[in-house]
Each structure stands twice: as structure tokens, then as C-alpha cells.
């Protein structure tokens, strides 16, 4: 299985700041990577697919980069609604696997 | 707009079977896409469990292959998860999700928490 290592596990920031989350795959997954946002009481939201393509409806302050084994999710100018848990997921092969999650907390 | 909703018992006894339903509205599960089950363990680890596609074929995570079954009722636009011989390690929040054209999960249910305990 492809192991997905996400870091950091926790991140504290303030509105207006920019943050980055790393996701590393144990082998090359090309650009077959997605990022999700999880909030209590809401369905998980697909933010980015194909490593860097914003899903329809995702604000432009979100961006994704990387290919192969190293990927990054960046959120510029944080807004209150962005404080949530974020996951990466590879869909290059089965079984699909996820990163361990990053909890973005309000500082 | 497609919507998915999980349902099922919140408590299952060890060694019994866990059975969940995903009800889909806004899109026919026989039209296209793969319809998945994913679970999140306490501590936030997510595990892909398997899918049933629009033709009715299935694919399971090898770690669970001997214990799970995904089926569907096309007349009700529902698909189902059964996990046999559950243990406390199967305690998790279970999600159904639609896999989109790129392989990512564009639509999720809100999840149902299942506890395995005597």
C-alpha cells in the first residue's frame, strides 16, 4: 500500500496568516492526489484534485502543488471558516490511502 | 445535486455483523461512478473499505476482503455495507462517498458512528 505521511498533525494560526501542509507519498503517485476539508457536522469537502486543480467552489486562497511523492496544500490569508481538519488522499492505485490529517486551530 | 446519507445501528456486539445503508438522492447509482465506503477510526485515521460501481462490480481493500461485502438495491438507489465478525477494532465513523471522474471523492455523506461493544 502507498503510505501517505502528512505534517504537521496540528497547526495553530491566526486569521490573515498563510499556512502550508505537507503530504508525502511512500512512492510516486504522479499527480493523483486530493485534499479534503473536514468540519464537525458537515460532509467532507473535496478541495483539490489532481494535485493542484481546485474543485468547483473552492476559494482561490487554497492552492495545491507537487507531483511524484511530495505535495503541499497552502491556504493564503486564512479566514475563520478555514479552521478545520485537512486530509490528503492518493488515488494512483488501490487500495486508496489517506494521510493522517492536519488539524488547523485558531491561535 | 447528489446527496448521500448513511444509516444503521450505532451499536454492534463483537462477533456479529455490521450492516449499513447509504441512500443516494439526486443521481442514479447505476448511471456512472463508483460508490464507496470509507471509515474513520478514533484518532482520525481514514481507511478506504471498498466500492461498488455503476455496473454492480465490487473492489475491496485487501485488509478487509474476507470480511466485507458491498451490495446495492437499484430500485431504492441505495448501496450497503456488511462487515462480518466485527471486533472492537471496527469501532469507527463510517462514510459513504461517490468517487468522481478523477478518482477523488467529490461527494460524501455525513457519516454514522458505529461502536462495537458488548
Amino acid at each position: 500500500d502507498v503510505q501517505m505521511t502528512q505534517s504537521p498533525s496540528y497547526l495553530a494560526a491566526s486569521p490573515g496568516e498563510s499556512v502550508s501542509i505537507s503530504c508525502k507519498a511512500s512512492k510516486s503517485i504522479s499527480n493523483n492526489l486530493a485534499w479534503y476539508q473536514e468540519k464537525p457536522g458537515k460532509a467532507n469537502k473535496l478541495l483539490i484534485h489532481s494535485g493542484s486543480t481546485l474543485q468547483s467552489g473552492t476559494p482561490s486562497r487554497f492552492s495545491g502543488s507537487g507531483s511524484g511523492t511530495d505535495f503541499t496544500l497552502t491556504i493564503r490569508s486564512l479566514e475563520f471558516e478555514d479552521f478545520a481538519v485537512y486530509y490528503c488522499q492518493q488515488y494512483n492505485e488501490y487500495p486508496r490511502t489517506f494521510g493522517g490529517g492536519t488539524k488547523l486551530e485558531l491561535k | 445535486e447528489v446527496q448521500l446519507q448513511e444509516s444503521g445501528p450505532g451499536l454492534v456486539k463483537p462477533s456479529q455483523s455490521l450492516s449499513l445503508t447509504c441512500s443516494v438522492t439526486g443521481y442514479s447509482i447505476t448511471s456512472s461512478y463508483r460508490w464507496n465506503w470509507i471509515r474513520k477510526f478514533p484518532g482520525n485515521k481514514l481507511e478506504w473499505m471498498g466500492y461498488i460501481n455503476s455496473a454492480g462490480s465490487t473492489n475491496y481493500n485487501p485488509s478487509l476482503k474476507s470480511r466485507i461485502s458491498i451490495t446495492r438495491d437499484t430500485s431504492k438507489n441505495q448501496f450497503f455495507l456488511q462487515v462480518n465478525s466485527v471486533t472492537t477494532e471496527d469501532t469507527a465513523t463510517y462514510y459513504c462517498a461517490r468517487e468522481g471522474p478523477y478518482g477523488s471523492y467529490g461527494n460524501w455523506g455525513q457519516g454514522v458512528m458505529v461502536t462495537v461493544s458488548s
Side-chain angles (χ1 to χ4, degrees):
Chain A
D1 299 1
V2 180
Q3 304 302 315
M4 305 300 293
T5 303
Q6 208 174 317
S7 62
S9 299
Y10 296 93
L11 188 52
S14 300
E17 292 182 347
S18 294
V19 296
S20 291
I21 298 169
S22 170
C23 183
K24 294 184 186 292
S26 60
K27 65 181 188 180
S28 177
I29 57 170
S30 185
N31 67 338
N32 295 314
L33 183 104
W35 290 97
Y36 301 91
Q37 180 189 66
E38 176 190 271
K39 288 184 168 182
K42 291 192 171 183
N44 289 350
K45 181 181 179 183
L46 172 64
L47 298 173
I48 289 170
H49 64 82
S50 305
S52 61
T53 302
L54 264 61
Q55 176 72 354
S56 175
T58 300
S60 59
R61 62 183 180 274
F62 289 86
S63 64
S65 63
S67 66
T69 59
D70 290 353
F71 300 84
T72 301
L73 172 69
T74 298
I75 314 171
R76 292 181 292 104
S77 300
L78 280 166
E79 298 194 5
F80 281 108
E81 64 191 39
D82 300 334
F83 292 92
V85 180
Y86 294 87
Y87 294 93
C88 61
Q89 176 240 333
Q90 67 81 20
Y91 51 90
N92 192 61
E93 61 182 67
Y94 284 97
R96 307 303 200 208
T97 48
F98 293 83
T102 295
K103 185 172 185 179
L104 177 56
E105 297 180 321
L106 192 59
K107 188 188 290 183
Chain B
E1 180 191 357
V2 61
Q3 293 192 324
L4 298 89
Q5 179 67 58
E6 306 88 349
S7 59
L11 180 64
V12 180
K13 293 185 187 304
S15 81
Q16 294 188 343
S17 293
L18 176 164
S19 296
L20 299 175
T21 298
C22 182
S23 300
V24 180
T25 57
Y27 194 87
S28 171
I29 62 172
T30 61
S31 290
S32 187
Y33 301 125
R34 295 168 178 162
W35 303 88
N36 292 257
W37 287 99
I38 296 162
R39 62 182 178 178
K40 187 177 75 168
F41 298 104
N44 287 347
K45 175 179 159 62
L46 284 160
E47 179 182 61
W48 170 76
M49 301 181 73
Y51 70 71
I52 186 165
N53 68 14
S54 58
S57 298
T58 55
N59 185 19
Y60 302 135
N61 192 320
S63 68
L64 293 163
K65 198 167 187 176
S66 62
R67 291 201 298 134
I68 77 166
S69 175
I70 299 176
T71 57
R72 65 182 184 172
D73 183 335
T74 57
S75 67
K76 295 182 179 179
N77 214 39
Q78 295 174 327
F79 63 105
F80 311 103
L81 172 71
Q82 180 170 315
V83 182
N84 299 320
S85 305
V86 298
T87 71
T88 56
E89 309 269 303
D90 294 306
T91 293
T93 298
Y94 287 76
Y95 300 92
C96 54
R98 183 178 79 166
E99 182 175 338
Y102 304 103
S104 51
Y105 304 111
N107 303 93
W108 296 66
Q110 292 204 353
V112 59
M113 189 179 299
V114 178
T115 301
V116 179
S117 175
S118 54

